[in-house]
Amino acid sequence: MVITALWVSIGIFFGVAILVIVMLCHFLKKRPTPSILQGYDASGDWIEEETDCRQIPLKEIHVATSDLNPVNLIGQGVAGKVYKGVLSNGSHVAVKHIIKDAHVETFMREVTSLSHVRHPNLVTLRGYCEEQDERFLVYELCANGNLSEWLFGKEKKLSWCQRLEIAIGCARGLWFLHTYAGGCIVHRDIKPANILLGADFEAKLSDFGLSKLMDLEVSHVSSEVRGTFGYVDPEYRQNRHVHAAGDVYSFGIVLLQMISGKRVINLNVTRPMPLNRMAELLTRNGDILEFVDPRLNGEYSLEAFKLVVELALSCTGHKQRRPPMEQVVSRLEGALEISAKGNKMYRTRI
C-alpha cells in the first residue's frame, strides 16, 4: 500500500511539472522576443541592449516624408534618395528610398547588419519598410550631415580639435566592428560621405550596404572588389581578400583628408597623385606643412599634426604593418591630448 501511494505521489509530481513546463513554454512563445546586442564597445566594455529596429508601414513612411516631397530631400546615392522626416512617435529620421532592384541585396544586408548592432559611433537603424515592392531604410537623423560636407563645403569649417574628435569617434566605431563578438564586420566603404555627424559633431559610421561578416578566427574571405575609388586598399584590388586591414587603409585616407582638406585624388593636375603618396613625398622632402588645410588658419598643434600624418601613413602602408583600430584610437587620443593641453595652439603660418 505504501509503495502504491509513493508511485501515485511521484506520478502526480511529474504530471504537475510537465503542466508547468508546457504553460511556461506557451507563455514564452507568446511574448515578443527582442533582438539583443552582445558585443564589446570601443573601451572594451561588454554591451547588451535591446534593439528598437521595427518594420514601419508604408503609409507611415509617406506621412513622415510628406509623400517623399522634394523639399525633404537631403541626399542621393547610388542606391536611391534620402529624405528627412518625422515618424508618428516624434522621432526625426533620415529615410533612404531604395529605388533600384539591383540594390535589394544592399537593403537586406543593412537590415541584417544594423538591426542587431548598436554603438554610439554607428548610425542607428530605426526601422525598415518592405511593402508593395517598395523598400525603405529609416535611420536616426544626424543633425550636422556628413563629414564630406564639412571638409569640402564652402560655408562650413571644422576646428583642429573637432577634426581629431571626429577621427577618434570613427576609429572607435571601426574598432567595435572589427572586434564584434558575433564576428568581425568589415565595412568596406569608409569615406567622408559615410561618416555622419550628430548634433554635437559625434561621428557615426553609416551605409553598411557593402559590409562583410567573417569569423574572428578567419584572416580573410574572398569577394569581388567593392568600394569607392581612391579609398579601396590596393592589396584588396589585387588579391580580392576582404579583411579588417582594408578598412584601416580607407580610414588612413580619410584621416589624410581631414588634416589636409584635399580631395582623395586631385584631378585638376597633369599627373593625379593619390593622397597618401603626396603626403609621403612631402614628409620625405621636409615640406609636410604644405599638406595642412589652409582653412585651419594656422590654428593647430604642429606636434599633433606630425603624429597624425605618421599614423595615417602607417594605416595606408603595407597590410602587415597597419595598426589595429584599438591602437589607432589610442594614438589619436594622444594627439588630441597634446592639442588641448593647456588650451595652447601653435599658430603656424604657411
Side-chain angles (χ1 to χ4, degrees):
M1 182 70 72
V2 173
I3 295 176
T4 302
L6 178 62
W7 279 108
V8 170
S9 299
I10 292 174
I12 293 173
F13 172 79
F14 277 104
V16 171
I18 292 172
L19 181 62
V20 169
I21 291 172
V22 170
M23 292 178 65
L24 182 60
C25 289
H26 179 69
F27 172 72
L28 291 175
K29 186 177 180 181
K30 291 180 67 176
R31 290 179 63 197
T33 303
S35 299
I36 297 294
L37 160 69
Q38 291 183 324
Y40 294 94
D41 67 7
S43 63
D45 295 329
W46 181 259
I47 296 177
E48 181 173 303
E49 65 176 68
E50 294 184 10
T51 68
D52 56 358
C53 179
R54 64 188 179 92
Q55 189 159 0
I56 299 174
L58 182 60
K59 181 179 179 180
E60 184 172 355
I61 295 289
H62 281 285
V63 171
T65 60
S66 301
D67 291 320
L68 305 179
N69 193 315
V71 174
N72 292 322
L73 184 67
I74 57 175
Q76 184 167 357
V78 176
K81 298 179 179 180
V82 182
Y83 302 83
K84 64 181 178 181
V86 183
L87 296 179
S88 57
N89 62 6
S91 298
H92 289 263
V93 293
V95 180
K96 181 191 286 187
H97 186 196
I98 308 297
I99 58 176
K100 295 183 179 180
D101 290 339
H103 293 278
V104 172
E105 181 186 351
T106 295
F107 171 83
M108 295 308 300
R109 186 181 284 117
E110 291 223 33
V111 170
T112 302
S113 298
L114 284 179
S115 62
H116 297 287
V117 178
R118 289 289 185 274
H119 187 273
N121 297 115
L122 304 182
V123 69
T124 300
L125 183 67
R126 296 294 186 198
Y128 63 95
C129 174
E130 189 173 15
E131 189 177 325
Q132 298 179 16
D133 294 328
E134 293 273 23
R135 295 178 181 86
F136 296 88
L137 294 168
V138 182
Y139 307 95
E140 64 175 310
L141 183 66
C142 293
N144 281 307
N146 65 60
L147 178 59
S148 183
E149 297 169 4
W150 287 87
L151 289 180
F152 311 119
K154 294 181 180 180
E155 304 299 325
K156 298 181 178 182
K157 292 183 181 180
L158 292 170
S159 70
W160 170 251
C161 285
Q162 279 180 313
R163 297 178 194 217
L164 288 181
E165 288 168 350
I166 291 169
I168 290 170
C170 181
R172 284 175 177 164
L174 281 175
W175 176 13
F176 171 79
L177 291 174
H178 293 172
T179 57
Y180 182 55
C184 172
I185 301 175
V186 183
H187 187 283
R188 290 209 296 173
D189 201 17
I190 296 298
K191 59 183 179 181
N194 286 342
I195 300 172
L196 303 184
L197 303 176
D200 296 320
F201 287 91
E202 63 275 23
K204 293 178 179 286
L205 300 180
S206 69
D207 203 337
F208 285 72
L210 300 182
S211 63
K212 277 281 187 183
L213 177 67
M214 48 189 263
D215 293 338
L216 293 174
E217 298 80 14
V218 175
S219 62
H220 69 270
V221 294
S222 297
S223 172
E224 73 284 357
V225 177
R226 304 288 291 274
T228 302
F229 179 73
Y231 299 94
V232 178
D233 178 6
E235 294 184 44
Y236 169 43
R237 289 201 306 266
Q238 293 174 2
N239 57 32
R240 300 190 177 188
H241 289 174
V242 176
H243 42 63
D247 281 349
V248 177
Y249 177 91
S250 302
F251 177 79
I253 295 294
V254 171
L255 198 54
L256 289 174
Q257 289 187 283
M258 293 179 70
I259 62 178
S260 69
K262 299 181 185 299
R263 298 282 182 179
V264 67
I265 292 181
N266 186 357
L267 299 177
N268 295 323
V269 296
T270 306
R271 298 180 61 186
M273 182 182 297
L275 208 52
N276 55 327
R277 177 62 176 159
M278 183 188 304
E280 287 173 356
L281 289 176
L282 290 173
T283 300
R284 193 178 305 157
N285 297 332
D287 301 324
I288 191 58
L289 292 185
E290 293 182 15
F291 200 68
V292 180
D293 188 348
R295 294 201 295 179
L296 285 170
N297 294 320
E299 297 180 356
Y300 62 95
S301 163
L302 180 58
E303 181 183 359
F305 176 81
K306 290 181 177 179
L307 287 175
V308 175
V309 171
E310 181 183 353
L311 174 59
L313 292 179
S314 68
C315 288
T316 58
H318 189 276
K319 182 187 73 172
Q320 302 300 332
R321 293 192 289 272
R322 292 174 198 164
M325 292 311 299
E326 178 181 3
Q327 188 180 125
V328 172
V329 170
S330 178
R331 291 168 69 177
L332 284 172
E333 288 176 338
L336 180 61
E337 185 177 351
I338 291 171
S339 300
K341 204 170 186 179
N343 204 26
K344 291 180 180 178
M345 300 299 289
Y346 298 91
R347 291 190 62 85
T348 308
R349 294 296 182 187
I350 302 176

